[in-house]
Structures are given as C-alpha cells and as structure tokens.
Amino acid sequence: QDNGSGNLVIDTNGAGTYLMHGSEIMASFVADGAVGLRHDNSEKLATTSTGIDVTGTVTADGLTVDGTATITTTGNETQLTLTSTDADATTGPNMSFFRNSSSAADGDQTGSIFFIGKDDAGNDTTYGGITTHIVDASNTTEDGRLTISSIKAGTSTGTLHVVSGSVGIGTSSPLYNLDVGSGSGSNSINIFSGSTDTSAVYFTDNTTGVGSYIGRLGYNHTADAMIFTTNATEAMRIDSSGRVMIGTTTEGFADYADTLTVADTNHAGITIRSGASSSGSLYFSDVTSGSGEYDGYLNYSHSAQKLTVGTAAATRMTITSAGRVGIGTSSPIANLEIEDGGTSNSIITKIT
C-alpha cells in the first residue's frame, strides 16, 4: 500500500514488467515493445508499433475513428453487425455517412461503399459499389443521387440511379418515375416467368379492389397470348397465331376471316376516321409492292363524299354524294348507270 502523493514508479532491470496475481498475469509491459492487458490469463489487448491489437469482442458506448479502420477475418462469418434493442419499431440500427463540409456544392460525393475482390491475375478489382452525390445543395430544395454500379468489361458502370425520387436504369438523369436507357443503343426490359404462368405490367389507381388491377398488359405463357385489360376486363388479345380479337377471346370464321375479330354483346363496328379533305380506305393486297398492294379496295373520299369499290387495282363502282351508283363509270348521271367500257356500247338505266 502506497499512501504517498507522488507518482508510482515500477522499474526493473529485466526485459519486461508484469502485474500478477499469484501465477496469473494481468498486464505485461515490455521495454521498447508491447503493453498487454489480459483476462483470465489470456491477452485481449496489446499495443503495437502502429496502434493496438484486440482479440475478441469490443463493447463500447461509442467509437470515433480518426483515420482508417480495417476489420479482418480468416473466415466467412459476419464481420460487422449493428444491433438495436430499442422497442420502437419505426426505426432500427442506423449507419450514417456524413460529409461534414462547410462549402457543400452540387456534385459533391457524400459517401461510398465498394465491393472489392481479386481477378484471376491477382489484381484488386472493384466489382460493385454504392455511391451518393449531391445534385442540388440549395437549402430547402436539396436533391441527391444514389448510384449502384457494377463492373462491365473491366470498367465500373453506373447501372441504377435513384435521383430526386426517380429511378434511372442506364441513365443518371431520369425524367420520369422510371427511365430505362440513355437514348443510345438498344434497351430492353425482361419479365421472366414460368412456362405455365403469366407476366404482366399493371396500371392501378388504388391499393385494393378493382383499382389495384384496373389496367393490365399481360402475357399468358400457357396460351402464348398477349392480353390487354382495361377497366379490369380483357379488352383485346393477340393469340399465339397472331390473330387479334377485340372484345372477345374467340376468333372469327376460321377459313377466311379470323385474322381480326371485333365483337360486342351489343352493336359492334369499326370506324375509320379521316380528315375532312382526305380519304378513308380498306385495301386488299397479296404483295408488298406495285399495284398488287391495292388489288382490291374500298375507298371513301370525304372531299367528294363518294364511295369507290375497286377490283384488279381499278375502280369498278362508285356511289356519289347524291346516292347515284356508277358501274364502269365514276360520274353516273342517273341513280344507276352501267357502262361496259365505251360510249358506243354503254348501258344506261334511268329510274325516275
């Protein structure tokens, strides 16, 4: 027991000094070397030439690291765990990356997490990363960007960007809630479902009921059919043969008229709406070029208000705005006029 007021000095001529209880070493002090603290005769903390070496688990009320820190393990166990025992379910363990700058500016990086491994030549390679940037540092109107990147063909590539509430895949400047692509090259979205299941994109205005599936674009892999849904009801489908059915799931007359079927439980029809000085037409074709593209046709001229019927790429019958029917002539002078190809052999029928 030392009741003095000065310093307690323990000096030795040996290489080290030990604090012991019986045969158990509690602390060791080596001249020009390490200082070690032990628990149950097992060293847990030792100083080194570069810092300290801790064996076991560190429990602390807080930790501030001024510099860098590395956690190393020889196995695949979890190296860092954040645990919260707070009963408040609205939050959980948190990790913060704080760029403490007095001159924050647009474009500043606020933090990164990198995933690094070796390549087959032994080089350190960053295979992926998560990075955040300031987009707008203006007070009360701040915007930010979070980027998830991955390496592609040896180059780190920003793959997904969350910017001011919008998501961009392949672009760091999304204009809408979700943008895919940057305006160059080909871009695709793949929905990969089972061979007997359905892939779909939904358009909703509610989280429950009909509003949660009121609009849908779906592909039925069992039937190999593309299905369009409006107001929660199938409106159109394209079947595995490329046939289009509107208002029905059953194709029309199979021999000649099943490519397009339009159906309704009430009246059904098709409207061709053209400009006031233009024409609306229905063409029958058996080739992709030449006169065969209009081998047969129905044409309505809105400017002349007349309907023409063509066969063999030529007009055969005309119904004028006055209701006159011309066969072989486009300008009938009677309610029904038939010409066989020349004025000398014309047949004119007039009904008054």
Side-chain angles (χ1 to χ4, degrees):
Q1 180 176 355
D2 184 355
N3 294 323
S5 60
N7 296 326
L8 175 63
V9 178
I10 301 175
D11 197 4
T12 179
N13 292 326
T17 301
Y18 299 90
L19 292 180
M20 303 181 66
H21 183 271
S23 62
E24 182 177 315
I25 300 175
M26 294 182 290
S28 61
F29 308 86
V30 178
D32 299 324
V35 173
L37 298 179
R38 300 190 179 202
H39 175 81
D40 196 19
N41 215 26
S42 177
E43 189 170 78
K44 298 299 181 181
L45 186 148
T47 62
T48 68
S49 60
T50 57
I52 62 172
D53 185 8
V54 177
T55 302
T57 302
V58 176
T59 301
D61 293 333
L63 177 65
T64 300
V65 178
D66 186 5
T68 61
T70 300
I71 303 174
T72 302
T73 181
T74 57
N76 292 320
E77 65 272 12
T78 301
Q79 295 170 270
L80 176 63
T81 300
L82 303 180
T83 302
S84 173
T85 58
D86 193 333
D88 186 356
T90 61
T91 187
N94 298 308
M95 178 181 289
S96 297
F97 294 78
F98 181 25
R99 181 179 180 88
N100 189 6
S101 171
S102 60
S103 57
D106 298 355
D108 284 357
Q109 186 181 118
T110 56
S112 297
I113 299 175
F114 296 109
F115 303 90
I116 303 172
K118 297 286 188 180
D119 62 14
D120 60 6
N123 301 308
D124 292 350
T125 302
T126 300
Y127 286 94
I130 302 173
T131 305
T132 61
H133 288 83
I134 297 173
V135 174
D136 183 359
S138 303
N139 184 33
T140 72
T141 62
E142 299 90 345
D143 288 311
R145 180 176 70 248
L146 182 147
T147 299
I148 298 176
S149 60
S150 60
I151 194 168
K152 179 180 180 181
T155 301
S156 180
T157 304
T159 304
L160 185 145
H161 305 265
V162 182
V163 186
S164 307
S166 298
V167 177
I169 299 176
T171 176
S172 60
S173 303
L175 299 176
Y176 300 97
N177 291 356
L178 174 62
D179 283 16
V180 177
S182 60
S184 63
S186 299
N187 296 281
S188 304
I189 297 175
N190 181 36
I191 301 176
F192 190 9
S193 302
S195 59
T196 59
D197 298 308
T198 298
S199 304
V201 177
Y202 285 84
F203 306 89
T204 71
D205 55 18
N206 208 323
T207 57
T208 60
V210 172
S212 64
Y213 56 90
I214 197 162
R216 190 183 80 150
L217 172 61
Y219 189 86
N220 185 312
H221 290 276
T222 300
D224 280 327
M226 183 72 76
I227 300 171
F228 300 81
T229 298
T230 61
N231 199 25
T233 302
E234 180 175 327
M236 184 179 78
R237 73 166 48 201
I238 304 173
D239 71 5
S240 58
S241 299
R243 297 175 295 191
V244 178
M245 285 154 273
I246 300 175
T248 181
T249 60
T250 303
E251 70 280 358
F253 181 49
D255 289 342
Y256 303 111
D258 63 347
T259 305
L260 171 64
T261 303
V262 178
D264 200 312
T265 55
N266 295 307
H267 303 297
I270 297 175
T271 297
I272 300 175
R273 181 175 289 112
S274 308
S277 59
S278 302
S279 296
S281 303
L282 180 62
Y283 284 84
F284 304 89
S285 170
D286 55 8
V287 296
T288 58
S289 62
S291 61
E293 286 193 275
Y294 52 92
D295 196 41
Y297 57 83
L298 294 173
N299 177 276
Y300 186 83
S301 170
H302 288 281
S303 57
Q305 291 186 313
K306 68 178 181 179
L307 177 69
T308 56
V309 180
T311 62
T315 298
R316 304 302 182 182
M317 184 176 75
T318 300
I319 303 175
T320 69
S321 59
R324 295 172 180 170
V325 178
I327 299 176
T329 176
S330 60
S331 302
I333 60 176
N335 287 350
L336 174 62
E337 180 176 339
I338 301 174
E339 294 188 8
D340 65 356
T343 55
S344 61
N345 298 312
S346 297
I347 299 174
I348 300 177
T349 303
K350 293 184 179 180
I351 301 175
T352 60

